[in-house]
Amino acid sequence: LLIFAMLFGGYAGLNPELVDEFVTTGIVHILSVSGSHMSLVAALAAQLCLLLKFPRSLTFAVGVFLIGGYAILSGLLPQVLRSATMGILIFFARTLDAEAEGARLLTLTALTMLINQPLLLFDVSFQLSFTATAGLMYLAEDLRNAMERLPKFFADAASMTIAAQLASLPVVVWYFNQISLSSVFANAF
């Protein structure tokens, strides 16, 4: 069940104490499908198409199919829709040879979702998903540069973790009333 939860999201059937341990260590997001999961699917699709030397239009179709299929299997939750939409928009931009500017894509995704379901603005998953993604886009590079003396593999992971956590910190504190200091190391690992 744990592996299924890590692949497709959800806590149903998991031991509540195990879920509490994930919360305490600050890695509960691993049990929720998010941008990291969708990025992995998108990257695998792109690499597979590159390896098979597919044309861009076919690469786009394969990317949309795999991202869409994974989103459906994962339950089409707000964070899944956000990351799936971002993945599809990035594939589309690359197909057109356009620059896939993250801020515009994130804004377009948020507007599309909020026009369709305005009350998502008050959904904790929606808020966490967008704040963490914004943190990755706006803070991760500066943090990575500040950690230039650390080994690259650690600096990359730590900067992304810290960026997502700093940006989502107000939402986490508001809803969960706790901060996990161990989460930076647990997430970097």
Side-chain angles (χ1 to χ4, degrees), residues 63-82:
V64 168
F65 177 77
L66 291 176
I67 291 169
Y70 185 68
I72 290 168
L73 289 173
S74 301
L76 297 176
L77 299 169
Q79 69 272 20
V80 175
L81 287 174
R82 190 248 337 134

Side-chain angles (χ1 to χ4, degrees), residues 22-23 25 30 45 49 55 59 74 78 85 94 104 108 114 132 134 143 182:
F22 273 77
V23 170
T25 57
I30 292 172
C49 292
T59 298
S74 301
T85 304
R94 292 216 173 133
R104 289 184 182 159
L108 179 61
L114 290 172
L143 289 169
S182 66

Side-chain angles (χ1 to χ4, degrees), residues 144-165:
R144 189 176 306 118
N145 292 337
M147 297 180 198
E148 65 185 29
R149 293 187 179 180
L150 297 174
K152 184 175 176 7
F153 71 91
F154 181 79
D156 288 346
S159 64
M160 289 175 32
T161 297
I162 294 168
Q165 289 179 343

Side-chain angles (χ1 to χ4, degrees), residues 47-100:
Q47 289 301 317
L48 175 66
C49 292
L50 184 65
L51 181 69
L52 296 174
K53 299 182 182 179
F54 284 178
R56 288 179 188 228
S57 58
L58 185 55
T59 298
F60 174 68
V62 169
V64 168
F65 177 77
L66 291 176
I67 291 169
Y70 185 68
I72 290 168
L73 289 173
S74 301
L76 297 176
L77 299 169
Q79 69 272 20
V80 175
L81 287 174
R82 190 248 337 134
S83 53
T85 304
M86 290 283 290
I88 289 169
L89 288 172
I90 289 168
F91 261 88
F92 183 66
R94 292 216 173 133
T95 300
L96 296 177
D97 241 357
E99 192 65 29

Side-chain angles (χ1 to χ4, degrees), residues 17-31 161 165 178-188:
E17 285 129 18
L18 178 64
V19 175
D20 286 343
E21 289 175 12
F22 273 77
V23 170
T24 301
T25 57
I27 58 172
V28 73
H29 62 87
I30 292 172
L31 300 177
T161 297
Q165 289 179 343
Q178 67 180 23
I179 300 171
S180 173
L181 297 177
S182 66
S183 65
V184 172
F185 297 108
N187 281 291

